[in-house]
Amino acid sequence: MSLLQQAEQSPDTERMFDADIKTMGYLPNYTRLFAHSPAAYLAWQQLNGAVKAGMELRRYELATLAAARALKSSYCGLAHGKVLRDKFFDAPTVVAIASDHGSASLSAQEVAVVNFAGKIAADANSVTEADIVGLRGHGLDDTEIFHVILAVGARCFFSTVLGAARAEPDPQYNESLDVNLRQALSFGR
């Protein structure tokens, strides 16, 4: 599951496990990892929920996938690529988004968001005023731009935690995603 040994069970971890099994239908490896700090997991869920509530789900998922790619997070790539496939695109389109989003059937605004999200995840300090002006030119206001920044920042936290602990993607992705899509969404660890 990860480089860390499984956390000891407690009433807090049992509540976490029960909630995620109810939501996901299985116990994700990341939930097992966060059993080392149930309070941090709860805080993450609250933060991520607030970030998602502030933007369209499709934009959130595109920005998150771009961040996962830049961070080389297969776990997050598989999870969010699956959401894109399940809710917005067919599998070949998600493959295109994951490998060369400029050639996928995204709007110019979405391409700009994906570019921006990837840039933030790769090097947040490289963002310039021109990047912000470019997004405004694609119709995003400053609140929408800030929510993209928040989505990437949240993904950086989560992907970094999973990557550093070497949390393995859930085996359920092998069953729910075809081999081409799994390969396209497997960015690293």
Side-chain angles (χ1 to χ4, degrees), residues 3 19 23 29 38 49 62 64 71 96 104 111 118 122 145 164-165:
L3 295 176
T23 301
N29 286 337
L62 287 168
T64 299
L71 296 165
V111 170
I145 295 168

Side-chain angles (χ1 to χ4, degrees), residues 93-159:
T93 302
V94 177
V95 168
I97 293 167
S99 57
D100 179 17
H101 64 277
S103 70
S105 59
L106 299 177
S107 69
Q109 182 187 77
E110 289 172 327
V111 170
V113 166
V114 171
N115 288 339
F116 183 62
K119 184 174 188 174
I120 294 167
D123 181 5
N125 291 317
S126 71
V127 173
T128 65
E129 185 176 355
D131 295 316
I132 304 301
V133 169
L135 288 170
R136 287 180 188 140
H138 285 288
L140 276 74
D141 64 29
D142 284 7
T143 299
E144 292 170 316
I145 295 168
F146 185 67
H147 279 280
V148 173
I149 294 168
L150 285 173
V152 175
R155 185 57 35 206
C156 287
F157 163 76
F158 201 72
S159 292

Side-chain angles (χ1 to χ4, degrees), residues 20-146:
D20 281 4
I21 290 169
K22 184 177 180 182
T23 301
M24 304 284 291
Y26 66 95
L27 184 62
N29 286 337
Y30 65 77
T31 307
R32 290 184 178 118
L33 177 62
F34 271 93
H36 287 283
S37 182
Y41 187 56
L42 178 61
W44 157 254
Q45 289 177 315
Q46 291 170 336
L47 171 65
N48 198 49
V51 170
K52 284 173 79 169
M55 60 195 308
E56 297 171 0
L57 182 61
R58 179 169 160 147
R59 181 179 294 155
Y60 168 82
E61 293 297 340
L62 287 168
T64 299
L65 184 63
R69 181 175 55 201
L71 296 165
K72 297 179 175 63
S73 174
S74 292
Y75 203 139
C76 293
L78 291 162
H80 294 279
K82 181 179 183 314
V83 174
L84 286 168
R85 192 234 22 220
D86 291 350
K87 296 188 180 281
F88 301 106
F89 303 103
D90 60 18
T93 302
V94 177
V95 168
I97 293 167
S99 57
D100 179 17
H101 64 277
S103 70
S105 59
L106 299 177
S107 69
Q109 182 187 77
E110 289 172 327
V111 170
V113 166
V114 171
N115 288 339
F116 183 62
K119 184 174 188 174
I120 294 167
D123 181 5
N125 291 317
S126 71
V127 173
T128 65
E129 185 176 355
D131 295 316
I132 304 301
V133 169
L135 288 170
R136 287 180 188 140
H138 285 288
L140 276 74
D141 64 29
D142 284 7
T143 299
E144 292 170 316
I145 295 168
F146 185 67

Side-chain angles (χ1 to χ4, degrees), residues 1-6 28-30 32-33 165-168:
M1 182 208 65
S2 81
L3 295 176
L4 303 178
Q5 293 184 12
Q6 192 162 338
N29 286 337
Y30 65 77
R32 290 184 178 118
L33 177 62
R166 298 290 193 258
E168 295 178 14

